[in-house]
Amino acid sequence: GPAADGVTLLGNGTLVPDTGGVVVRNFASGNKIGGAFAGEGNVIAGNRVGVLLFSGTRNSVQGNSISDNAQGGIVLTGSGVLDRGDADEAGANREINTPRLDVQVDSTNVWATARTDSFAPNVTFPVAVDIYKSVGGQGAQFIGRIGLNAPDTPVRVNLGTRAALGIDPGSLLVANATDLFGNSSAFTAETVAGRILTVDSTGVEQD
């Protein structure tokens, strides 16, 4: 909540070392933190950890604005930001692995490509990959979703226009994955939006 000035965010986790803004433990399962539809997201900011999943499965984290948390946006016990190994099912949400994300912009649109990296067997398809504008490696603004139906099969979509999304070459983005049963991953490492060069009929480069 806010400090005495009514503006400054105090956040949670300042008194108990292992807490975060949202904590799931004691094998609690089937919780929704945010959601897949407009208006279901939460603002989770100013904590030690944004969403801390100690244990349990089917705890989904989707569509939220997560930023300014000192030690991570989404943390699953037993896994790291770049955890993409196979069969690592011992931790929270079966330690579902992070997806891979590539973002490119042309003169008008933002294009994103997502894929899994040997997700099986700790995931059940289809998988939703949520893409966010990043602040400090955390998903601060949800901008789009890609659906994946099989492992190691890239899917490319047009997320929208650069103007509407506020994405330009050099913008930083992250993503996380949620499988059919609601197991959500941590955020990926930051991806830098690249640039697709286009030229007009006279050969002049368009920006």
Side-chain angles (χ1 to χ4, degrees), residues 9 44 151 157 180:
L9 288 175
I44 304 172
V157 302
L180 175 64

Side-chain angles (χ1 to χ4, degrees), residues 44 53 114-116 140 150 162 165-166 170 187 198:
I44 304 172
L53 305 179
R115 69 178 177 89
T116 64
R162 290 172 55 171
L165 298 175
F187 289 124
T198 58

Side-chain angles (χ1 to χ4, degrees), residues 20-110:
V22 179
V23 179
V24 177
R25 61 189 317 161
N26 297 326
F27 298 96
S29 297
N31 298 286
K32 288 181 63 176
I33 303 165
F37 300 101
E40 292 186 328
N42 305 287
V43 177
I44 304 172
N47 307 288
R48 181 174 180 268
V49 175
V51 178
L52 181 55
L53 305 179
F54 278 107
S55 56
T57 59
R58 297 175 285 110
N59 293 307
S60 63
V61 186
Q62 292 184 281
N64 301 290
S65 173
I66 301 177
S67 65
D68 300 309
N69 299 289
Q71 296 186 23
I74 304 172
V75 173
L76 281 63
T77 57
S79 66
V81 171
L82 297 179
D83 178 38
R84 297 192 180 105
D86 291 333
D88 46 352
E89 302 182 40
N93 278 356
R94 304 181 69 191
E95 293 183 43
I96 178 174
N97 299 319
T98 56
R100 290 189 182 272
L101 175 68
D102 179 71
V103 178
Q104 302 287 327
V105 298
D106 59 24
S107 58
T108 303
N109 296 305
V110 180

Side-chain angles (χ1 to χ4, degrees), residues 112-136:
T113 302
R115 69 178 177 89
T116 64
D117 187 10
S118 301
F119 254 117
N122 61 336
V123 69
T124 304
F125 287 88
V127 167
V129 176
D130 286 359
I131 303 167
Y132 302 82
K133 293 177 71 172
S134 174
V135 173

Side-chain angles (χ1 to χ4, degrees), residues 199-206:
V199 295
D200 64 19
S201 59
T202 65
V204 176
E205 181 180 313
Q206 304 296 299

Side-chain angles (χ1 to χ4, degrees), residues 6-29:
V7 177
T8 304
L9 288 175
L10 293 178
N12 301 306
T14 55
L15 299 178
V16 182
D18 64 355
T19 59
V22 179
V23 179
V24 177
R25 61 189 317 161
N26 297 326
F27 298 96
S29 297

